[in-house]
PDB file of all heavy atoms in Angstrom:
ATOM      1  N   ASN A   1      23.461   0.852  11.728  1.00 94.00           N
ATOM      2  CA  ASN A   1      24.511   1.424  10.885  1.00 94.00           C
ATOM      3  C   ASN A   1      24.413   2.944  10.794  1.00 94.00           C
ATOM      4  O   ASN A   1      25.442   3.633  10.741  1.00 94.00           O
ATOM      5  CB  ASN A   1      24.485   0.780   9.499  1.00 94.00           C
ATOM      6  CG  ASN A   1      24.982  -0.645   9.544  1.00 94.00           C
ATOM      7  OD1 ASN A   1      25.748  -1.034  10.419  1.00 94.00           O
ATOM      8  ND2 ASN A   1      24.524  -1.447   8.604  1.00 94.00           N
ATOM      9  N   LEU A   2      23.200   3.468  10.783  1.00 94.00           N
ATOM     10  CA  LEU A   2      23.038   4.921  10.793  1.00 94.00           C
ATOM     11  C   LEU A   2      23.579   5.516  12.094  1.00 94.00           C
ATOM     12  O   LEU A   2      24.254   6.542  12.088  1.00 94.00           O
ATOM     13  CB  LEU A   2      21.573   5.310  10.600  1.00 94.00           C
ATOM     14  CG  LEU A   2      21.005   5.134   9.201  1.00 94.00           C
ATOM     15  CD1 LEU A   2      19.482   5.324   9.214  1.00 94.00           C
ATOM     16  CD2 LEU A   2      21.651   6.103   8.218  1.00 94.00           C
ATOM     17  N   TRP A   3      23.270   4.852  13.207  1.00 93.00           N
ATOM     18  CA  TRP A   3      23.751   5.328  14.504  1.00 93.00           C
ATOM     19  C   TRP A   3      25.277   5.303  14.568  1.00 93.00           C
ATOM     20  O   TRP A   3      25.908   6.252  15.032  1.00 93.00           O
ATOM     21  CB  TRP A   3      23.147   4.514  15.636  1.00 93.00           C
ATOM     22  CG  TRP A   3      23.647   4.932  16.989  1.00 93.00           C
ATOM     23  CD1 TRP A   3      24.487   4.249  17.808  1.00 93.00           C
ATOM     24  CD2 TRP A   3      23.340   6.156  17.674  1.00 93.00           C
ATOM     25  NE1 TRP A   3      24.733   4.961  18.959  1.00 93.00           N
ATOM     26  CE2 TRP A   3      24.040   6.144  18.904  1.00 93.00           C
ATOM     27  CE3 TRP A   3      22.559   7.262  17.365  1.00 93.00           C
ATOM     28  CZ2 TRP A   3      23.968   7.183  19.817  1.00 93.00           C
ATOM     29  CZ3 TRP A   3      22.489   8.304  18.277  1.00 93.00           C
ATOM     30  CH2 TRP A   3      23.189   8.245  19.485  1.00 93.00           C
ATOM     31  N   LYS A   4      25.864   4.203  14.057  1.00 92.00           N
ATOM     32  CA  LYS A   4      27.328   4.085  14.058  1.00 92.00           C
ATOM     33  C   LYS A   4      27.981   5.192  13.232  1.00 92.00           C
ATOM     34  O   LYS A   4      29.070   5.657  13.572  1.00 92.00           O
ATOM     35  CB  LYS A   4      27.763   2.726  13.498  1.00 92.00           C
ATOM     36  CG  LYS A   4      27.512   1.567  14.430  1.00 92.00           C
ATOM     37  CD  LYS A   4      27.948   0.261  13.759  1.00 92.00           C
ATOM     38  CE  LYS A   4      27.686  -0.941  14.626  1.00 92.00           C
ATOM     39  NZ  LYS A   4      28.042  -2.205  13.931  1.00 92.00           N
ATOM     40  N   GLY A   5      27.328   5.599  12.156  1.00 91.00           N
ATOM     41  CA  GLY A   5      27.917   6.616  11.289  1.00 91.00           C
ATOM     42  C   GLY A   5      27.430   8.026  11.550  1.00 91.00           C
ATOM     43  O   GLY A   5      27.881   8.972  10.900  1.00 91.00           O
ATOM     44  N   PHE A   6      26.526   8.184  12.499  1.00 90.00           N
ATOM     45  CA  PHE A   6      25.915   9.489  12.752  1.00 90.00           C
ATOM     46  C   PHE A   6      26.939  10.548  13.133  1.00 90.00           C
ATOM     47  O   PHE A   6      26.895  11.670  12.637  1.00 90.00           O
ATOM     48  CB  PHE A   6      24.837   9.354  13.832  1.00 90.00           C
ATOM     49  CG  PHE A   6      23.958  10.561  13.978  1.00 90.00           C
ATOM     50  CD1 PHE A   6      23.135  10.951  12.941  1.00 90.00           C
ATOM     51  CD2 PHE A   6      23.940  11.288  15.149  1.00 90.00           C
ATOM     52  CE1 PHE A   6      22.307  12.056  13.065  1.00 90.00           C
ATOM     53  CE2 PHE A   6      23.122  12.394  15.291  1.00 90.00           C
ATOM     54  CZ  PHE A   6      22.308  12.781  14.252  1.00 90.00           C
ATOM     55  N   ASP A   7      27.865  10.201  14.005  1.00 86.00           N
ATOM     56  CA  ASP A   7      28.906  11.156  14.427  1.00 86.00           C
ATOM     57  C   ASP A   7      29.809  11.574  13.279  1.00 86.00           C
ATOM     58  O   ASP A   7      30.270  12.713  13.224  1.00 86.00           O
ATOM     59  CB  ASP A   7      29.786  10.536  15.521  1.00 86.00           C
ATOM     60  CG  ASP A   7      29.196  10.716  16.898  1.00 86.00           C
ATOM     61  OD1 ASP A   7      28.269  11.538  17.054  1.00 86.00           O
ATOM     62  OD2 ASP A   7      29.673  10.032  17.826  1.00 86.00           O
ATOM     63  N   SER A   8      30.077  10.633  12.377  1.00 87.00           N
ATOM     64  CA  SER A   8      31.039  10.914  11.319  1.00 87.00           C
ATOM     65  C   SER A   8      30.402  11.519  10.068  1.00 87.00           C
ATOM     66  O   SER A   8      31.119  11.880   9.131  1.00 87.00           O
ATOM     67  CB  SER A   8      31.811   9.645  10.949  1.00 87.00           C
ATOM     68  OG  SER A   8      30.917   8.650  10.504  1.00 87.00           O
ATOM     69  N   PHE A   9      29.063  11.641  10.034  1.00 85.00           N
ATOM     70  CA  PHE A   9      28.407  12.262   8.879  1.00 85.00           C
ATOM     71  C   PHE A   9      28.808  13.726   8.824  1.00 85.00           C
ATOM     72  O   PHE A   9      28.559  14.486   9.754  1.00 85.00           O
ATOM     73  CB  PHE A   9      26.887  12.114   8.955  1.00 85.00           C
ATOM     74  CG  PHE A   9      26.158  12.795   7.822  1.00 85.00           C
ATOM     75  CD1 PHE A   9      26.310  12.340   6.526  1.00 85.00           C
ATOM     76  CD2 PHE A   9      25.342  13.876   8.069  1.00 85.00           C
ATOM     77  CE1 PHE A   9      25.647  12.959   5.479  1.00 85.00           C
ATOM     78  CE2 PHE A   9      24.678  14.501   7.038  1.00 85.00           C
ATOM     79  CZ  PHE A   9      24.826  14.045   5.735  1.00 85.00           C
ATOM     80  N   GLU A  10      29.449  14.093   7.730  1.00 79.00           N
ATOM     81  CA  GLU A  10      30.013  15.447   7.614  1.00 79.00           C
ATOM     82  C   GLU A  10      29.133  16.410   6.834  1.00 79.00           C
ATOM     83  O   GLU A  10      29.474  17.578   6.695  1.00 79.00           O
ATOM     84  CB  GLU A  10      31.387  15.359   6.953  1.00 79.00           C
ATOM     85  CG  GLU A  10      32.380  14.543   7.764  1.00 79.00           C
ATOM     86  CD  GLU A  10      33.688  14.306   7.017  1.00 79.00           C
ATOM     87  OE1 GLU A  10      33.781  14.656   5.820  1.00 79.00           O
ATOM     88  OE2 GLU A  10      34.610  13.769   7.639  1.00 79.00           O
ATOM     89  N   GLY A  11      28.042  15.930   6.284  1.00 77.00           N
ATOM     90  CA  GLY A  11      27.150  16.803   5.542  1.00 77.00           C
ATOM     91  C   GLY A  11      27.636  17.120   4.137  1.00 77.00           C
ATOM     92  O   GLY A  11      27.198  18.102   3.540  1.00 77.00           O
ATOM     93  N   LYS A  12      28.553  16.304   3.608  1.00 79.00           N
ATOM     94  CA  LYS A  12      29.028  16.528   2.237  1.00 79.00           C
ATOM     95  C   LYS A  12      27.947  16.186   1.216  1.00 79.00           C
ATOM     96  O   LYS A  12      28.005  16.630   0.084  1.00 79.00           O
ATOM     97  CB  LYS A  12      30.291  15.697   1.972  1.00 79.00           C
ATOM     98  CG  LYS A  12      31.483  16.178   2.762  1.00 79.00           C
ATOM     99  CD  LYS A  12      32.718  15.361   2.450  1.00 79.00           C
ATOM    100  CE  LYS A  12      33.885  15.863   3.290  1.00 79.00           C
ATOM    101  NZ  LYS A  12      35.083  15.055   3.096  1.00 79.00           N
ATOM    102  N   SER A  13      26.996  15.382   1.628  1.00 80.00           N
ATOM    103  CA  SER A  13      25.823  15.097   0.805  1.00 80.00           C
ATOM    104  C   SER A  13      24.590  15.426   1.644  1.00 80.00           C
ATOM    105  O   SER A  13      24.695  15.664   2.841  1.00 80.00           O
ATOM    106  CB  SER A  13      25.799  13.625   0.376  1.00 80.00           C
ATOM    107  OG  SER A  13      25.669  12.786   1.509  1.00 80.00           O
ATOM    108  N   LYS A  14      23.432  15.399   1.001  1.00 86.00           N
ATOM    109  CA  LYS A  14      22.202  15.649   1.748  1.00 86.00           C
ATOM    110  C   LYS A  14      21.953  14.476   2.695  1.00 86.00           C
ATOM    111  O   LYS A  14      22.370  13.351   2.423  1.00 86.00           O
ATOM    112  CB  LYS A  14      21.020  15.803   0.796  1.00 86.00           C
ATOM    113  CG  LYS A  14      21.122  17.003  -0.119  1.00 86.00           C
ATOM    114  CD  LYS A  14      19.853  17.249  -0.905  1.00 86.00           C
ATOM    115  CE  LYS A  14      19.619  16.171  -1.921  1.00 86.00           C
ATOM    116  NZ  LYS A  14      18.454  16.394  -2.780  1.00 86.00           N
ATOM    117  N   VAL A  15      21.266  14.742   3.784  1.00 90.00           N
ATOM    118  CA  VAL A  15      20.970  13.700   4.769  1.00 90.00           C
ATOM    119  C   VAL A  15      20.193  12.561   4.130  1.00 90.00           C
ATOM    120  O   VAL A  15      20.497  11.387   4.368  1.00 90.00           O
ATOM    121  CB  VAL A  15      20.180  14.281   5.975  1.00 90.00           C
ATOM    122  CG1 VAL A  15      19.701  13.184   6.896  1.00 90.00           C
ATOM    123  CG2 VAL A  15      21.019  15.273   6.742  1.00 90.00           C
ATOM    124  N   ASP A  16      19.210  12.895   3.290  1.00 86.00           N
ATOM    125  CA  ASP A  16      18.416  11.818   2.688  1.00 86.00           C
ATOM    126  C   ASP A  16      19.256  10.960   1.739  1.00 86.00           C
ATOM    127  O   ASP A  16      19.064   9.748   1.668  1.00 86.00           O
ATOM    128  CB  ASP A  16      17.153  12.338   2.013  1.00 86.00           C
ATOM    129  CG  ASP A  16      17.397  13.389   0.958  1.00 86.00           C
ATOM    130  OD1 ASP A  16      18.445  14.047   0.994  1.00 86.00           O
ATOM    131  OD2 ASP A  16      16.519  13.568   0.093  1.00 86.00           O
ATOM    132  N   THR A  17      20.216  11.556   1.043  1.00 88.00           N
ATOM    133  CA  THR A  17      21.119  10.772   0.193  1.00 88.00           C
ATOM    134  C   THR A  17      21.959   9.830   1.045  1.00 88.00           C
ATOM    135  O   THR A  17      22.138   8.655   0.709  1.00 88.00           O
ATOM    136  CB  THR A  17      22.029  11.701  -0.634  1.00 88.00           C
ATOM    137  OG1 THR A  17      21.213  12.555  -1.443  1.00 88.00           O
ATOM    138  CG2 THR A  17      22.977  10.914  -1.520  1.00 88.00           C
ATOM    139  N   TRP A  18      22.458  10.329   2.159  1.00 91.00           N
ATOM    140  CA  TRP A  18      23.256   9.506   3.082  1.00 91.00           C
ATOM    141  C   TRP A  18      22.415   8.348   3.621  1.00 91.00           C
ATOM    142  O   TRP A  18      22.870   7.203   3.665  1.00 91.00           O
ATOM    143  CB  TRP A  18      23.796  10.380   4.213  1.00 91.00           C
ATOM    144  CG  TRP A  18      24.569   9.631   5.243  1.00 91.00           C
ATOM    145  CD1 TRP A  18      25.783   9.019   5.108  1.00 91.00           C
ATOM    146  CD2 TRP A  18      24.177   9.410   6.606  1.00 91.00           C
ATOM    147  NE1 TRP A  18      26.174   8.436   6.294  1.00 91.00           N
ATOM    148  CE2 TRP A  18      25.197   8.668   7.230  1.00 91.00           C
ATOM    149  CE3 TRP A  18      23.062   9.774   7.356  1.00 91.00           C
ATOM    150  CZ2 TRP A  18      25.139   8.286   8.560  1.00 91.00           C
ATOM    151  CZ3 TRP A  18      23.017   9.401   8.684  1.00 91.00           C
ATOM    152  CH2 TRP A  18      24.050   8.656   9.271  1.00 91.00           C
ATOM    153  N   ILE A  19      21.179   8.628   4.001  1.00 92.00           N
ATOM    154  CA  ILE A  19      20.292   7.588   4.537  1.00 92.00           C
ATOM    155  C   ILE A  19      19.996   6.541   3.470  1.00 92.00           C
ATOM    156  O   ILE A  19      20.027   5.341   3.750  1.00 92.00           O
ATOM    157  CB  ILE A  19      18.999   8.205   5.102  1.00 92.00           C
ATOM    158  CG1 ILE A  19      19.333   8.979   6.393  1.00 92.00           C
ATOM    159  CG2 ILE A  19      17.938   7.142   5.357  1.00 92.00           C
ATOM    160  CD1 ILE A  19      18.199   9.789   6.954  1.00 92.00           C
ATOM    161  N   TRP A  20      19.721   6.973   2.228  1.00 90.00           N
ATOM    162  CA  TRP A  20      19.501   6.027   1.134  1.00 90.00           C
ATOM    163  C   TRP A  20      20.720   5.126   0.980  1.00 90.00           C
ATOM    164  O   TRP A  20      20.595   3.913   0.836  1.00 90.00           O
ATOM    165  CB  TRP A  20      19.260   6.757  -0.193  1.00 90.00           C
ATOM    166  CG  TRP A  20      17.828   7.117  -0.446  1.00 90.00           C
ATOM    167  CD1 TRP A  20      17.265   8.340  -0.300  1.00 90.00           C
ATOM    168  CD2 TRP A  20      16.792   6.251  -0.903  1.00 90.00           C
ATOM    169  NE1 TRP A  20      15.938   8.288  -0.631  1.00 90.00           N
ATOM    170  CE2 TRP A  20      15.620   7.026  -1.011  1.00 90.00           C
ATOM    171  CE3 TRP A  20      16.740   4.901  -1.233  1.00 90.00           C
ATOM    172  CZ2 TRP A  20      14.413   6.489  -1.441  1.00 90.00           C
ATOM    173  CZ3 TRP A  20      15.533   4.375  -1.658  1.00 90.00           C
ATOM    174  CH2 TRP A  20      14.384   5.165  -1.754  1.00 90.00           C
ATOM    175  N   ARG A  21      21.897   5.726   0.988  1.00 88.00           N
ATOM    176  CA  ARG A  21      23.127   4.956   0.750  1.00 88.00           C
ATOM    177  C   ARG A  21      23.384   3.950   1.869  1.00 88.00           C
ATOM    178  O   ARG A  21      23.709   2.791   1.616  1.00 88.00           O
ATOM    179  CB  ARG A  21      24.316   5.897   0.582  1.00 88.00           C
ATOM    180  CG  ARG A  21      25.551   5.160   0.166  1.00 88.00           C
ATOM    181  CD  ARG A  21      26.630   6.092  -0.329  1.00 88.00           C
ATOM    182  NE  ARG A  21      27.684   5.293  -0.886  1.00 88.00           N
ATOM    183  CZ  ARG A  21      27.992   5.238  -2.161  1.00 88.00           C
ATOM    184  NH1 ARG A  21      27.331   5.967  -3.007  1.00 88.00           N
ATOM    185  NH2 ARG A  21      28.961   4.479  -2.583  1.00 88.00           N
ATOM    186  N   VAL A  22      23.238   4.385   3.115  1.00 92.00           N
ATOM    187  CA  VAL A  22      23.430   3.472   4.246  1.00 92.00           C
ATOM    188  C   VAL A  22      22.387   2.354   4.203  1.00 92.00           C
ATOM    189  O   VAL A  22      22.722   1.178   4.393  1.00 92.00           O
ATOM    190  CB  VAL A  22      23.375   4.227   5.600  1.00 92.00           C
ATOM    191  CG1 VAL A  22      23.349   3.263   6.776  1.00 92.00           C
ATOM    192  CG2 VAL A  22      24.561   5.187   5.728  1.00 92.00           C
ATOM    193  N   SER A  23      21.142   2.701   3.926  1.00 91.00           N
ATOM    194  CA  SER A  23      20.073   1.699   3.853  1.00 91.00           C
ATOM    195  C   SER A  23      20.353   0.699   2.738  1.00 91.00           C
ATOM    196  O   SER A  23      20.268  -0.517   2.945  1.00 91.00           O
ATOM    197  CB  SER A  23      18.717   2.371   3.601  1.00 91.00           C
ATOM    198  OG  SER A  23      18.405   3.277   4.624  1.00 91.00           O
ATOM    199  N   PHE A  24      20.701   1.215   1.590  1.00 87.00           N
ATOM    200  CA  PHE A  24      21.013   0.376   0.436  1.00 87.00           C
ATOM    201  C   PHE A  24      22.183  -0.557   0.742  1.00 87.00           C
ATOM    202  O   PHE A  24      22.098  -1.770   0.537  1.00 87.00           O
ATOM    203  CB  PHE A  24      21.322   1.287  -0.759  1.00 87.00           C
ATOM    204  CG  PHE A  24      21.946   0.587  -1.919  1.00 87.00           C
ATOM    205  CD1 PHE A  24      21.209  -0.268  -2.712  1.00 87.00           C
ATOM    206  CD2 PHE A  24      23.278   0.795  -2.235  1.00 87.00           C
ATOM    207  CE1 PHE A  24      21.788  -0.916  -3.795  1.00 87.00           C
ATOM    208  CE2 PHE A  24      23.861   0.159  -3.306  1.00 87.00           C
ATOM    209  CZ  PHE A  24      23.119  -0.696  -4.088  1.00 87.00           C
ATOM    210  N   ASN A  25      23.273  -0.011   1.248  1.00 88.00           N
ATOM    211  CA  ASN A  25      24.457  -0.830   1.536  1.00 88.00           C
ATOM    212  C   ASN A  25      24.185  -1.873   2.612  1.00 88.00           C
ATOM    213  O   ASN A  25      24.663  -3.003   2.529  1.00 88.00           O
ATOM    214  CB  ASN A  25      25.647   0.053   1.928  1.00 88.00           C
ATOM    215  CG  ASN A  25      26.209   0.809   0.743  1.00 88.00           C
ATOM    216  OD1 ASN A  25      26.046   0.400  -0.404  1.00 88.00           O
ATOM    217  ND2 ASN A  25      26.849   1.930   1.015  1.00 88.00           N
ATOM    218  N   THR A  26      23.416  -1.509   3.614  1.00 92.00           N
ATOM    219  CA  THR A  26      23.065  -2.451   4.671  1.00 92.00           C
ATOM    220  C   THR A  26      22.250  -3.611   4.103  1.00 92.00           C
ATOM    221  O   THR A  26      22.531  -4.778   4.386  1.00 92.00           O
ATOM    222  CB  THR A  26      22.265  -1.754   5.790  1.00 92.00           C
ATOM    223  OG1 THR A  26      23.057  -0.692   6.335  1.00 92.00           O
ATOM    224  CG2 THR A  26      21.881  -2.718   6.895  1.00 92.00           C
ATOM    225  N   CYS A  27      21.259  -3.293   3.294  1.00 88.00           N
ATOM    226  CA  CYS A  27      20.403  -4.335   2.714  1.00 88.00           C
ATOM    227  C   CYS A  27      21.184  -5.220   1.747  1.00 88.00           C
ATOM    228  O   CYS A  27      20.989  -6.439   1.735  1.00 88.00           O
ATOM    229  CB  CYS A  27      19.198  -3.705   2.025  1.00 88.00           C
ATOM    230  SG  CYS A  27      18.021  -2.971   3.200  1.00 88.00           S
ATOM    231  N   ILE A  28      22.074  -4.620   0.969  1.00 85.00           N
ATOM    232  CA  ILE A  28      22.919  -5.414   0.058  1.00 85.00           C
ATOM    233  C   ILE A  28      23.788  -6.371   0.876  1.00 85.00           C
ATOM    234  O   ILE A  28      23.917  -7.557   0.541  1.00 85.00           O
ATOM    235  CB  ILE A  28      23.816  -4.499  -0.802  1.00 85.00           C
ATOM    236  CG1 ILE A  28      22.994  -3.775  -1.856  1.00 85.00           C
ATOM    237  CG2 ILE A  28      24.949  -5.277  -1.451  1.00 85.00           C
ATOM    238  CD1 ILE A  28      22.617  -4.596  -3.053  1.00 85.00           C
ATOM    239  N   SER A  29      24.382  -5.879   1.952  1.00 85.00           N
ATOM    240  CA  SER A  29      25.234  -6.728   2.805  1.00 85.00           C
ATOM    241  C   SER A  29      24.434  -7.873   3.406  1.00 85.00           C
ATOM    242  O   SER A  29      24.899  -9.016   3.436  1.00 85.00           O
ATOM    243  CB  SER A  29      25.857  -5.908   3.935  1.00 85.00           C
ATOM    244  OG  SER A  29      26.747  -4.963   3.416  1.00 85.00           O
ATOM    245  N   GLN A  30      23.235  -7.587   3.881  1.00 84.00           N
ATOM    246  CA  GLN A  30      22.390  -8.628   4.459  1.00 84.00           C
ATOM    247  C   GLN A  30      21.967  -9.637   3.398  1.00 84.00           C
ATOM    248  O   GLN A  30      21.880 -10.833   3.670  1.00 84.00           O
ATOM    249  CB  GLN A  30      21.161  -8.012   5.133  1.00 84.00           C
ATOM    250  CG  GLN A  30      21.477  -7.193   6.363  1.00 84.00           C
ATOM    251  CD  GLN A  30      22.169  -7.996   7.446  1.00 84.00           C
ATOM    252  OE1 GLN A  30      21.800  -9.122   7.743  1.00 84.00           O
ATOM    253  NE2 GLN A  30      23.200  -7.411   8.043  1.00 84.00           N
ATOM    254  N   GLU A  31      21.732  -9.158   2.173  1.00 80.00           N
ATOM    255  CA  GLU A  31      21.361 -10.044   1.070  1.00 80.00           C
ATOM    256  C   GLU A  31      22.503 -11.016   0.774  1.00 80.00           C
ATOM    257  O   GLU A  31      22.280 -12.197   0.550  1.00 80.00           O
ATOM    258  CB  GLU A  31      21.041  -9.204  -0.181  1.00 80.00           C
ATOM    259  CG  GLU A  31      20.565  -9.999  -1.357  1.00 80.00           C
ATOM    260  CD  GLU A  31      19.091 -10.352  -1.306  1.00 80.00           C
ATOM    261  OE1 GLU A  31      18.356  -9.801  -0.467  1.00 80.00           O
ATOM    262  OE2 GLU A  31      18.686 -11.193  -2.102  1.00 80.00           O
TER     263      GLU A  31
END
């Protein structure tokens, strides 16, 4: 999911915030 969104990451938030959000959303979806 990070790779899929890597091109579209615009830097409106910090990279670590974006990674937390993608990780969180991915894990919630898998749950």
Side-chain angles (χ1 to χ4, degrees):
N1 288 335
L2 287 170
W3 178 251
K4 287 179 182 177
F6 192 64
D7 275 346
S8 60
F9 177 66
E10 298 172 353
K12 292 182 181 176
S13 64
K14 296 188 291 184
V15 172
D16 56 337
T17 301
W18 177 68
I19 290 172
W20 272 102
R21 187 166 188 111
V22 171
S23 300
F24 167 72
N25 288 336
T26 301
C27 290
I28 288 282
S29 294
Q30 293 300 317
E31 184 82 12

